[in-house]
Amino acid sequence: MFSPFRDKDGRPKILPDVTWEDLAQLKDMDEGFVLEFKCSYTPSVRRKIPKIIASFANSHGGWLVIGIADDTKELTPIPRPQADFSQTVGELCRRHVSPAPPFDARFIVDPSNERQGVALVQVAEGDFPPYIADGVVEVREGSTSGPATGSALVELYDKTTQRRFEIASFCRRTVFYPQSEPVGAAASAGGPELAPTNIPLFDLYLFRMGQRTAGSPSRAEIEKHVVAMRVGFAKQGMDCYVQHAHDSLIFRNNPPMRVGEAHSAIELFGDESMKLTVPAVPLTGKNYADAVADLEAVGQFVPEGSQIVGARETLRRVTRMASLLDRYVRERGLSWQSYAVAYELEGMAGIVLWSDVEEYRSYVRERGVLFCGTTDCRSRVRHLNDAAHDSFRARQFAGSHFFEACGLPLGSPDPKDNALVDALLSN
């Protein structure tokens, strides 16, 4: 999005990188569609802040600068707020704007007097307008804001519809896996020697919001993405294989064309949206036969041809790969709060979750085996900027939702359920 500040090479600066010296760059700028100045921080200005932020969010984003005169562009530092300025603006928006608008705020202290400074509010173009401030839909009109007309309201609702369509389309991405047929002679051993054609997959979609006007990344920027992902793989002690796709990069820890052995993949897009695909770890050969025998020993029948996956092995794979996403976000200085997340099950209908821990045997003897009770399905989309996901981590989210899909009773008040969960998650 637009930034009135530039570094020494002429590249736009983001809010966290703006310094006191950078404020001099505003000297030659006028108020306009994406920039507004206020010389003071009076009660009247505070009342207008939600309206200004909503108007920027309903348009193409913009910057509010408090502490610079709009006519002369002279610095007019305001007293340093006792409370955190970002929290103050956030509270104003929570009270007066619906839905929550995308913004960031910062108070830049005057180096010559730490009791005063200039406040900056950077507002991104909203993903789901209209943003309503005290019952009014405000949009930018030149250097001011005003109520939206009928046609403008239609455009805002169309923008929301288009954004939801973009997210839904993103959540239909599929990573290709070479599939192999079961070996016929394996039937006598109790299970397939190779992975079956229908590979059970757990998909995690992370769509980065607010990138509508970001444009295509440069080759240099893409290389930064690759370096950051390689760092994550290296810190996990994993090899990293990069494959170029049509509009993305695919990262794997094993060569992608090894038939009969499906490995996890991370698909990374130019706007840093991500898809993680994790194949469940199926039991084959003797391990499969032993699992069937153990289940029969505790009175549980497994239909012929059922897929059985190892709980510990699959949990290890899911959490290890999802940890790479957390590492990437930290390495790139991103925030999960700028993402929307959903997960999907592919080819997992009826797969049986298995573990050789005694707590599992005891549990299934009484309550039956744990298995995926749905056909292929996609979860609802969660938006991580809703304050309910402030502590979101891909590792915890992916691990818990994979096992919930397989019938593991996470969050149950039943002590036996909790004992089983603890046993499986600690092994």
Side-chain angles (χ1 to χ4, degrees):
M1 64 169 290
F2 164 78
S3 173
F5 304 103
R6 296 290 187 272
D7 62 17
K8 59 183 179 60
D9 297 318
R11 292 188 294 262
K13 275 194 167 186
I14 59 176
L15 181 60
D17 295 338
V18 177
T19 65
W20 180 264
E21 289 71 24
D22 290 327
L23 297 175
Q25 298 181 36
L26 300 175
K27 183 72 175 177
D28 300 323
M29 296 188 181
D30 293 322
E31 278 194 326
F33 191 67
V34 291
L35 186 61
E36 183 159 342
F37 297 105
K38 296 294 181 185
C39 65
S40 61
Y41 189 49
T42 62
S44 174
V45 169
R46 285 195 288 274
R47 286 193 295 270
K48 293 178 181 177
I49 286 177
K51 170 184 172 180
I52 295 169
I53 290 177
S55 70
F56 279 137
N58 282 327
S59 304
H60 293 287
W63 293 66
L64 170 63
V65 183
I66 306 174
I68 291 183
D70 59 355
D71 49 359
T72 65
K73 307 305 182 298
E74 296 294 330
L75 285 171
T76 57
I78 63 175
R80 185 174 185 175
Q82 293 184 348
D84 180 87
F85 181 71
S86 180
Q87 292 182 356
T88 299
V89 175
E91 186 60 29
L92 284 171
C93 289
R94 278 188 288 273
R95 292 180 180 180
H96 299 280
V97 184
S98 179
F103 77 92
D104 195 6
R106 183 178 167 214
F107 188 85
I108 301 180
V109 177
D110 183 349
S112 64
N113 183 354
E114 64 179 16
R115 291 177 294 180
Q116 64 181 24
V118 171
L120 300 177
V121 182
Q122 181 187 25
V123 185
E125 178 182 359
D127 289 292
F128 300 109
Y131 295 88
I132 305 171
D134 292 325
V136 179
V137 178
E138 300 278 350
V139 294
R140 296 299 292 178
E141 297 177 344
S143 61
T144 61
S145 57
T149 63
S151 60
L153 283 172
V154 172
E155 291 179 4
L156 291 174
Y157 282 110
D158 284 347
K159 188 185 291 186
T160 291
T161 301
Q162 177 62 26
R163 198 52 155 175
R164 296 192 187 281
F165 174 77
E166 291 171 1
I167 296 173
S169 297
F170 176 76
C171 292
R172 286 195 288 266
R173 298 286 298 203
T174 299
V175 175
F176 168 74
Y177 285 100
Q179 298 174 344
S180 58
E181 298 294 335
V183 176
S188 61
E193 290 293 347
L194 296 179
T197 302
N198 190 26
I199 301 174
L201 301 174
F202 175 81
D203 301 321
L204 181 64
Y205 299 96
L206 291 152
F207 183 86
R208 194 174 180 202
M209 309 297 292
Q211 301 298 297
R212 193 189 309 272
T213 58
S216 300
S218 65
R219 288 184 178 273
E221 190 64 25
I222 291 175
E223 183 58 28
K224 291 179 182 178
H225 300 174
V226 173
V227 169
M229 192 64 78
R230 287 189 183 278
V231 168
F233 272 79
K235 288 183 176 179
Q236 294 280 88
M238 301 164 64
D239 294 330
C240 182
Y241 294 84
V242 185
Q243 178 185 0
H244 290 259
H246 162 60
D247 58 351
S248 65
L249 298 171
I250 301 176
F251 298 82
R252 292 181 171 93
N253 70 312
N254 287 87
M257 293 298 287
R258 185 175 296 173
V259 176
E261 190 174 354
H263 291 281
S264 303
I266 295 172
E267 190 171 11
L268 178 65
F269 297 82
D271 65 355
E272 296 184 274
S273 294
M274 292 175 271
K275 179 191 177 184
L276 171 64
T277 301
V278 182
V281 182
L283 301 184
T284 59
K286 185 177 184 304
N287 291 333
Y288 183 95
D290 290 345
V292 170
D294 276 351
L295 289 170
E296 290 177 348
V298 295
Q300 298 298 320
F301 172 73
V302 178
E304 184 178 354
S306 297
Q307 290 196 66
I308 303 176
V309 301
R312 288 179 295 177
E313 296 81 3
T314 302
L315 174 64
R316 191 177 301 117
R317 176 179 283 182
V318 169
T319 56
R320 191 181 190 195
M321 293 303 297
S323 292
L324 284 170
L325 304 183
D326 291 319
R327 289 186 183 276
Y328 178 84
V329 166
R330 290 195 298 271
E331 189 71 23
R332 289 284 297 151
L334 307 176
S335 168
W336 280 130
Q337 274 59 55
S338 64
Y339 284 82
V341 61
Y343 68 90
E344 182 178 18
L345 311 179
E346 293 187 73
M348 286 181 56
I351 67 166
V352 175
L353 189 68
W354 164 254
S355 175
D356 58 3
V357 299
E358 183 53 40
E359 289 85 352
Y360 180 86
R361 291 190 178 93
S362 175
Y363 189 91
V364 301
R365 180 184 294 110
E366 179 181 341
R367 304 189 180 186
V369 296
L370 297 174
F371 66 96
C372 182
T374 63
T375 57
D376 292 2
C377 61
R378 188 178 303 118
S379 75
R380 68 180 178 87
V381 176
R382 294 169 172 83
H383 297 277
L384 303 183
N385 64 349
D386 60 1
H389 296 87
D390 286 345
S391 60
F392 176 87
R393 293 293 182 273
R395 182 181 187 276
Q396 286 87 345
F397 184 89
S400 63
H401 284 84
F402 177 85
F403 280 106
E404 281 185 330
C406 295
L408 192 65
L410 298 177
S412 169
D414 189 321
K416 291 186 177 180
D417 288 346
N418 289 324
L420 172 64
V421 170
D422 290 342
L424 293 183
L425 298 183
S426 63
N427 280 274

